[in-house]
Amino acid sequence: MSRPDGTAATVTRETHAVEALIIGSGLSGIGAAVKLREAGLRDVVLLEKADEPGGTWRDNTYPGCACDVPSALYSYSFAPNPGWTRAFAAQPEIRAYLHRTAATYGITPLIRFGTEVLRAQWHADESRWYVETSRDRYTARFLVSAAGPWHEPLIPEIPGLADFSGEVFHSSRWRHDHELAGARVAVVGSGASAVQFVPAIQPRVARLDVFQRTAQWVLPKPDHHVPGAERRLLRRFPAAQRALRSAEYAAMEALGLGFRHPALLRAVQKVGTLHLTATVKDPRLRRALTPDYTLGCKRLLLSNTYYPALTRPNVTVHATAVEAVRGNRVVGADGTGADVDTIILGTGFHILDMPIAQRVFDADGVCLDEHWKGSPDAYLGTTVSGFPNAFILLGPHLGTGHSSAFMVLEAQLEYLAGAVRHFRSAGWAAMDVRPEVQAAFSAEVQQALPPTVYNSGGCSSYYLDGNGRNSFSWPWSTGRMRRRLAGFDPEAYDVTLTTGVGRRAPAGR
């Protein structure tokens, strides 16, 4: 910045001292703010680099974007929504629900929009986090990372992609101003996003070439419009909505039993095979779309329209990874290719190599990413040794292949709220999970994972980190997760007491 006379001007940044800083204002950040305020914290601030809340449901606006979890399960238990218009809600409704919840619970005024976290570092002498943002500076007693694992798009390193003269964009950064009608489009990837947007754009484009590195299991989606009478009933009788939520939770947990005992998934896998056989008559295409691993090894996909879209005359499925882009031609590893003018990347997100880990530092200036060395790790998926008073939401070891992110999140929020309440009542200045406690939990998880479909299903998935270790999955039921995180365990932490600054004392001694 410069003055009118051309000389340099000094940029003055304010420093704000708060009790708790939350990074992100998606479903995790909004939920954390509600629960922290219920736990007695009044001075809570959410830092949001975008200009509105919503997280992944703000960013993903691609055609056909919708939830693949039943709507009744996709909400906070403290803020039920009887107004979902579909059994599986679409993106605009979910975004509106998050906006409405943030406003109803007084969270929206706490969000600092257009504020990106650049660096957060623990200062042990003050028992506070120092946070540098794109706007102001903050110090905080507690730091909560709610950046989420489905936030930063993964852009593959494809030779020649940067030189492509047409339009290239990731599905989570959809170019609505780019006209697809009559276009020749290549879709790279065949995961959860592609399964939704491919059927939506197929009728509009001239040609659609789908490059599928790995075939996916796609089950029929039991989606339907929710009649107004049913919505009025749920609104008038909250007990009916709770019963619906419980029934859908029980159904998803029954499916989850198969994820832990893969032999039980044979019946479900048969449904996937019948779905493919019934909708794809061409034997060559059907072979290309038939997975060679156990259902559940990768994220489970639901769609009634994906397979039919792939059978249309203007669609070609290339059962191969993309090797390169040469001029306007996308070339597969098997030598097949297509001349296109638009490339859409349905290539997923930085799930385990989350970028926020490169911006959060311990007292010695070592970032979380360096601590993890490619394998994210956290006690109960929530706290990391060496990073006192910090919490990660939807963190390592807590992912499931069958349930709602809200189920995982609310289990963590109970733990977070319990930790804060105990922290304040016990007169703590800092709490740091003991390294041996974190190591024991991690070993327990890794010992339980091998028989699950996540590890034994015979595929490569985003559940596995860069070291080939499953740092994503929870190997037990979500019921066990909720019980495990229901009560804060102070004995798992070393603490600094406010009455003895700098003195470390194991909790409970």
Side-chain angles (χ1 to χ4, degrees):
M1 181 182 295
S2 62
R3 300 187 180 94
D5 62 6
T7 60
T10 301
V11 178
T12 302
R13 290 188 173 185
E14 292 187 58
T15 298
H16 309 275
V18 300
E19 285 188 278
L21 275 181
I22 300 171
I23 304 172
S25 63
L27 66 92
S28 300
I30 294 168
V34 171
K35 289 302 177 180
L36 285 176
R37 284 162 65 86
E38 287 181 357
L41 295 188
R42 308 318 306 166
D43 195 7
V44 177
V45 168
L46 298 87
L47 304 178
E48 174 55 64
K49 65 182 180 182
D51 58 2
E52 66 169 278
T56 191
W57 295 107
R58 173 199 62 230
D59 295 342
N60 286 272
T61 61
Y62 59 80
C65 184
C67 193
D68 53 10
V69 171
S71 301
L73 283 181
Y74 211 79
S75 61
Y76 305 105
S77 61
F78 58 82
N81 179 26
W84 297 121
T85 62
R86 298 202 65 84
F88 291 78
Q91 177 266 341
E93 279 195 276
I94 299 173
R95 181 174 64 178
Y97 166 75
L98 293 173
H99 280 227
R100 187 167 62 251
T101 303
T104 300
Y105 284 83
I107 305 305
T108 308
L110 310 179
I111 306 174
R112 305 296 177 259
F113 295 111
T115 304
E116 181 177 2
V117 172
L118 304 176
R119 181 185 179 94
Q121 184 165 0
W122 175 251
H123 283 227
D125 54 343
E126 300 177 47
S127 294
R128 291 186 74 83
W129 284 94
Y130 275 62
V131 180
E132 183 84 18
T133 78
S134 57
R135 302 184 70 172
D136 294 334
R137 297 185 178 95
Y138 293 83
T139 71
R141 181 69 67 200
F142 302 103
L143 183 70
V144 179
S145 174
W150 292 280
H151 173 56
E152 293 287 344
L154 179 63
I155 308 299
E157 295 182 3
I158 300 174
L161 181 63
D163 301 322
F164 180 65
S165 60
E167 292 292 334
V168 180
F169 55 88
H170 191 275
S171 60
S172 68
R173 304 293 185 267
W174 196 269
R175 286 284 308 277
H176 291 281
D177 59 341
H178 176 60
E179 182 56 65
L180 289 177
R184 300 173 301 168
V185 179
V187 171
V188 181
S190 57
S193 299
V195 162
Q196 294 185 340
F197 73 73
V198 162
I201 68 172
Q202 174 271 320
R204 297 160 51 194
V205 304
R207 289 289 312 165
L208 186 59
D209 287 86
V210 178
F211 287 83
Q212 169 198 274
R213 183 177 59 181
T214 307
Q216 304 279 350
W217 283 106
V218 182
L219 296 179
K221 190 172 187 177
D223 193 18
H224 61 271
H225 174 72
V226 179
E230 181 177 335
R231 282 178 269 146
R232 289 191 293 273
L233 176 68
L234 295 175
R235 186 173 286 109
R236 184 174 180 182
F237 300 102
Q241 187 174 7
R242 289 194 295 271
L244 176 62
R245 184 182 178 96
S246 296
E248 291 186 348
Y249 174 75
M252 299 302 279
E253 282 305 291
L255 177 62
L257 185 63
F259 283 67
R260 301 188 297 279
H261 305 280
L264 299 177
L265 289 172
R266 289 173 187 155
V268 183
Q269 190 163 303
K270 184 66 173 176
V271 173
T273 301
L274 291 173
H275 180 47
L276 176 59
T277 302
T279 51
V280 179
K281 301 303 182 183
D282 181 354
R284 289 185 61 186
L285 179 58
R286 193 163 59 238
R287 281 195 299 272
L289 297 174
T290 301
D292 61 358
Y293 55 87
T294 305
L295 178 144
C297 182
K298 286 179 174 287
R299 180 174 173 177
L300 196 59
L301 307 181
L302 302 174
S303 177
N304 300 324
T305 56
Y306 181 63
Y307 285 154
L310 299 183
T311 67
R312 300 297 183 247
N314 66 332
V315 179
T316 300
V317 175
H318 303 262
T320 179
V322 173
E323 181 178 80
V325 176
R326 301 190 182 112
N328 69 338
R329 188 169 181 79
V330 179
V331 181
D334 64 354
T336 63
D339 294 326
V340 301
D341 43 58
T342 301
I343 299 175
I344 303 176
L345 303 173
T347 47
F349 299 88
H350 288 276
I351 302 291
L352 292 171
D353 55 338
M354 54 191 79
I356 192 65
Q358 300 173 13
R359 304 188 182 195
V360 179
F361 295 79
D362 66 12
D364 297 323
V366 180
C367 73
L368 187 56
D369 193 55
E370 292 180 67
H371 272 262
W372 283 342
K373 294 180 171 38
S375 291
D377 189 29
Y379 175 57
L380 298 178
T382 307
T383 55
V384 180
S385 184
F387 293 80
N389 295 15
F391 303 85
I392 302 173
L393 299 180
L394 300 182
H397 311 312
L398 293 180
T400 73
H402 66 280
S403 193
S404 164
F406 279 92
M407 299 294 105
V408 176
L409 173 64
E410 291 207 37
Q412 283 192 283
L413 294 183
E414 284 299 310
Y415 192 84
L416 170 64
V420 168
R421 282 193 292 266
H422 188 97
F423 185 104
R424 301 178 81 215
S425 65
W428 291 359
M431 51 174 278
D432 189 10
V433 66
R434 301 193 338 235
E436 66 273 18
V437 171
Q438 180 177 323
F441 170 73
S442 180
E444 183 185 2
V445 170
Q446 294 305 316
Q447 185 176 9
L449 277 170
T452 68
V453 73
Y454 309 121
N455 279 35
S456 65
C459 74
S460 176
S461 72
Y462 67 66
Y463 303 148
L464 307 181
D465 60 37
N467 298 319
R469 176 178 182 259
N470 188 336
S471 298
F472 180 87
S473 302
W474 174 264
W476 305 290
S477 68
T478 57
R480 179 167 174 173
M481 181 191 300
R482 292 162 66 186
R483 292 190 296 272
R484 189 78 179 264
L485 276 77
F488 175 66
D489 48 348
E491 68 282 355
Y493 293 82
D494 289 329
V495 303
T496 299
L497 305 174
T498 55
T499 54
V501 176
R503 181 164 64 89
R504 306 292 289 179
R509 295 185 184 178

